[in-house]
Amino acid sequence: MNVNANPRNDNIKRLNEIYKVLKKNDFGYLIEENTFFRKFPFLRNYKAEKEGVFPDESIPLRIRKVLEELGPAYIKLGQMLSTRPDLVGIEIAEELQKLRDKTPVTPFEEIKKVIESELNSSIRDIYTDFNKEPIGSASIGQVYKARLKSSGEEVAIKVQKPNSYEIIKSDVQIMKFLATRIDKYLSKTRTYNLPAMVTEFERSIFKEINYMEEVMNMQNLANNFKGVRYIKIPKAYTDYCSRKVITMELIKGIEVSDLINGDYPDINKKRIANYGVKSYFKQIMIDGFFHADPHPGNLIVTFDNELCYIDEGMMGILNEDFKQNLAELILLLISGNTNNIIKQLIYMDIITPSQNTDNLKADIDDLLNLYYGAELKNMDGLMEDLLNAMIKNNVVLPREFVMIGRGIALIEDTGKKLDPDFNAATELKKLSKKIVVNKYKPDRIAKSGINYLLQLEHLAKDLPDTINSTISKVEEGNIEIKLKHEGISELANQLSVSLILAALVVGSSLALLEDTGPRLFDIPILGLIGFVFSAVLGAYLVIEYMIERE
């Protein structure tokens, strides 16, 4: 992104706001080290270099405060990163889970314009009893209660706040600009791969703010639970839905977060805990389409004792092979063989052979020894502990795998709070066995065999052409080898400045030999200025070199 010095460019103003918030929270060096400040040693803030990029235990808290102050896009970024402890570390991820929207409620008149513009009709023509006070408000959207004029059914209307798309688009551009600069000039942040984080966030956030994606997710999830009497998914009224508006069935009931702490004699908490684990493992192990954030606030128990999933803006998707491999991994975890577990993780492309270190083996051994001999009902938390062991060994995990681990951990934690005797591992083992057995049924083996034969046939057909093409390129000298040079640009800059310095010294020396021109203390002024400037530039280079050596 090119940020031009143009008064009409709002990005300049936004960058200034970001810098002020970062500086207030002792992160100003992230800007200072990546802009013109870095060219002037006396203006630079060396806190990052002296104390490290993340110098103390207050860092997670300060990161959360920065994101909250910067608004909707950054809050969403933080919420995404809270699910990726493999990228940001466990401490930061746990702190980011506390992120709360602090954006003010948008006035109803502005929301009304969005609804009428999106649905091409007056609110009065679609809804009756429209409550102008939102029943829910977040950084991007607000939720209202009304009735459909056509049927009289009670509905919830989720509406995107005005200009949310434009604001997020601008902020994502700035994020990409800053992430690229920080990654380039601050080597200590490269382990976090900030550009990759922002790219993943960009893909996720633009899917989330297209409400039609959520409508389709609701429909797919409802279809998967068709016939499951104890699970409810809100119905979407697609005639009154758009990219910025969702009209859905109003779910009346009690949030599971309230159920955990409250006394509700008409609701069987033990049964609800069982519904939660069965339905979630079905999503992961059977359907391959699962809710990415099943925390208690996104689960509602209806007055008919049904468990309802809400907020389907972000879902995980697994293919058939991954589901089968995951089932095998779970059975290996329960049986407790470290070598086989690591082989399975490599086979699933969760870790690479180079990440199969002695430390990782030792940590998984310690983990299995902790659970060895325990009854199955006491093995809850095993998947989360495995994730943490890999994170400790700097393994960057596939997004879907982390989502699975976090989702299972949330369901297990919620189940334990609802029912002290809750047992998720038994259900997980039962489903895993079923999937593995199905994998080796004759009809499935036959189907897989046909697929492999077809792939081999295609490979055999394409192989001669591929070999001929490669040989032709070698003969014509068209094979290209790409080399990646790291640190070359910085070295080139230093060499350029050094050459300029040498030229100034030589030029100034020649100027001193001249008898013409103005003089100061019988010294030619032109030569004196050249030597003074050369001395300042030389001192700058020496100081910068010494600082970098430290």
Side-chain angles (χ1 to χ4, degrees), residues 422-437:
F422 175 77
N423 180 8
T426 300
E427 185 67 25
L428 193 52
K429 183 179 181 181
K430 189 196 308 179
L431 271 175
S432 298
K433 276 187 174 179
K434 181 180 177 182
I435 291 167
V436 172
V437 169

Side-chain angles (χ1 to χ4, degrees), residues 1-20:
M1 183 193 72
N2 294 322
V3 182
N4 302 313
N6 186 326
R8 292 176 298 177
N9 193 336
D10 292 335
N11 288 332
I12 294 291
K13 182 180 177 183
R14 184 59 170 155
L15 273 172
N16 188 46
E17 291 172 0
I18 292 169
Y19 173 59
K20 287 179 180 177

Side-chain angles (χ1 to χ4, degrees), residues 367-503:
L367 169 63
L368 296 178
N369 288 335
L370 182 66
Y371 286 97
Y372 183 75
E375 293 182 29
L376 196 56
K377 68 180 182 180
N378 295 322
M379 296 187 75
D380 290 350
L382 182 56
M383 180 65 80
E384 184 180 19
D385 289 342
L386 175 65
L387 283 177
N388 290 339
M390 289 189 283
I391 291 166
K392 178 185 171 185
N393 286 274
N394 301 316
V395 176
V396 177
L397 299 165
R399 175 175 175 266
E400 306 291 341
F401 190 67
V402 177
M403 289 166 67
I404 291 168
R406 181 172 183 265
I408 290 175
L410 284 169
I411 288 293
E412 287 177 341
D413 182 61
T414 301
K416 287 284 186 188
K417 288 175 179 176
L418 288 171
D419 174 19
D421 299 322
F422 175 77
N423 180 8
T426 300
E427 185 67 25
L428 193 52
K429 183 179 181 181
K430 189 196 308 179
L431 271 175
S432 298
K433 276 187 174 179
K434 181 180 177 182
I435 291 167
V436 172
V437 169
N438 286 340
K439 180 179 179 180
Y440 296 103
K441 282 186 175 180
D443 60 336
R444 187 167 189 84
I445 291 174
K447 184 179 178 181
S448 299
I450 291 170
N451 288 335
Y452 289 135
L453 285 173
L454 288 172
Q455 289 177 25
L456 285 172
E457 182 194 2
H458 295 156
L459 180 63
K461 285 180 177 178
D462 294 340
L463 190 58
D465 290 339
T466 303
I467 293 172
N468 286 333
S469 174
T470 303
I471 291 172
S472 297
K473 286 182 179 179
V474 171
E475 289 175 345
E476 294 168 8
N478 290 332
I479 295 291
E480 294 183 0
I481 299 175
K482 293 183 179 180
L483 298 176
K484 183 179 178 182
H485 302 282
E486 295 187 358
I488 291 294
S489 59
E490 191 65 32
L491 179 61
N493 290 338
Q494 292 177 359
L495 285 172
S496 299
V497 176
S498 300
L499 287 171
I500 292 170
L501 175 60

Side-chain angles (χ1 to χ4, degrees), residues 317-353:
I317 300 175
L318 306 175
N319 62 36
E320 200 65 33
D321 286 342
F322 193 93
K323 287 188 293 180
Q324 292 171 3
N325 292 331
L326 179 63
E328 291 171 2
L329 175 64
I330 289 166
L331 291 177
L332 289 172
L333 278 170
I334 292 172
S335 65
N337 186 309
T338 301
N339 286 330
N340 287 340
I341 288 168
I342 288 177
K343 286 176 184 176
Q344 184 71 5
L345 290 169
I346 292 173
Y347 178 71
M348 295 172 70
D349 290 328
I350 291 171
I351 65 172
T352 63

Side-chain angles (χ1 to χ4, degrees), residues 58-337:
S58 73
I59 287 295
L61 174 62
R62 290 192 280 124
I63 290 175
R64 175 168 66 83
K65 287 183 176 179
V66 165
L67 296 175
E68 284 178 341
E69 286 188 55
L70 289 178
Y74 291 87
I75 290 172
K76 287 290 182 184
L77 173 63
Q79 289 170 343
M80 184 205 80
L81 294 178
S82 73
T83 67
R84 297 304 306 266
D86 57 313
L87 295 179
V88 297
I90 294 171
E91 293 80 7
I92 292 175
E94 287 178 349
E95 183 64 35
L96 294 181
Q97 288 173 18
K98 303 174 187 175
L99 270 169
R100 295 291 179 268
D101 293 340
K102 292 186 176 180
T103 51
V105 173
T106 301
F108 175 72
E109 288 304 315
E110 294 181 36
I111 293 293
K112 180 182 175 184
K113 290 177 184 176
V114 174
I115 296 173
E116 295 182 337
S117 171
E118 287 292 307
L119 303 184
N120 294 315
S121 187
S122 168
I123 278 185
R124 284 178 289 183
D125 294 337
I126 303 172
Y127 309 106
T128 60
D129 301 332
F130 200 110
N131 190 339
K132 296 181 180 181
E133 290 299 318
I135 57 175
S137 179
S139 55
I140 292 175
Q142 292 178 184
V143 182
Y144 294 84
K145 186 169 70 171
R147 287 183 183 274
L148 279 179
K149 189 173 182 179
S150 58
S151 64
E153 294 172 275
E154 284 191 284
V155 292
I157 303 107
K158 183 176 178 180
V159 189
Q160 197 173 113
K161 292 181 178 180
N163 302 317
S164 290
Y165 177 85
E166 291 75 17
I167 293 168
I168 288 171
K169 184 179 178 182
S170 174
D171 273 348
V172 167
Q173 285 182 316
I174 291 171
M175 285 179 197
K176 290 167 78 172
F177 168 73
L178 291 177
T180 303
R181 302 278 296 182
I182 291 169
D183 189 70
K184 181 178 179 180
Y185 292 118
L186 275 180
S187 60
K188 294 175 184 177
T189 66
R190 285 175 195 152
T191 54
Y192 296 94
N193 198 351
L194 297 180
M197 280 190 200
V198 174
T199 299
E200 182 177 330
F201 171 68
E202 181 181 25
R203 184 179 66 84
S204 172
I205 190 65
F206 285 121
K207 282 173 71 72
E208 192 171 343
I209 61 175
N210 178 2
Y211 283 179
M212 289 308 296
E213 291 264 356
E214 183 171 350
V215 170
M216 287 186 283
N217 291 340
M218 291 164 65
Q219 291 174 329
N220 288 335
L221 200 58
N223 187 58
N224 289 343
F225 281 107
K226 197 173 182 180
V228 180
R229 57 172 184 76
Y230 57 84
I231 296 296
K232 186 171 184 60
I233 307 299
K235 175 186 175 183
Y237 297 90
T238 52
D239 289 343
Y240 310 112
C241 295
S242 74
R243 294 177 66 91
K244 296 182 180 180
V245 177
I246 301 177
T247 303
M248 71 188 95
E249 178 183 2
L250 180 67
I251 302 299
K252 293 183 178 179
I254 301 158
E255 278 190 13
V256 170
S257 52
D258 294 329
L259 183 63
I260 289 170
N261 302 313
D263 183 21
Y264 297 91
D266 294 334
I267 295 177
N268 187 327
K269 293 185 180 183
K270 187 170 185 174
R271 187 182 299 164
I272 297 301
N274 186 253
Y275 290 168
V277 68
K278 279 190 171 183
S279 63
Y280 198 69
F281 288 163
K282 177 185 182 303
Q283 292 174 56
I284 293 172
M285 311 297 290
I286 305 295
D287 304 327
F289 185 74
F290 62 97
H291 200 294
D293 193 18
H295 66 76
N298 281 338
L299 300 171
I300 295 176
V301 179
T302 70
F303 296 120
D304 293 329
N305 273 263
E306 296 171 314
L307 182 64
C308 177
Y309 286 84
I310 62 170
D311 193 2
E312 285 84 7
M314 188 167 26
M315 304 293 290
I317 300 175
L318 306 175
N319 62 36
E320 200 65 33
D321 286 342
F322 193 93
K323 287 188 293 180
Q324 292 171 3
N325 292 331
L326 179 63
E328 291 171 2
L329 175 64
I330 289 166
L331 291 177
L332 289 172
L333 278 170
I334 292 172
S335 65
N337 186 309

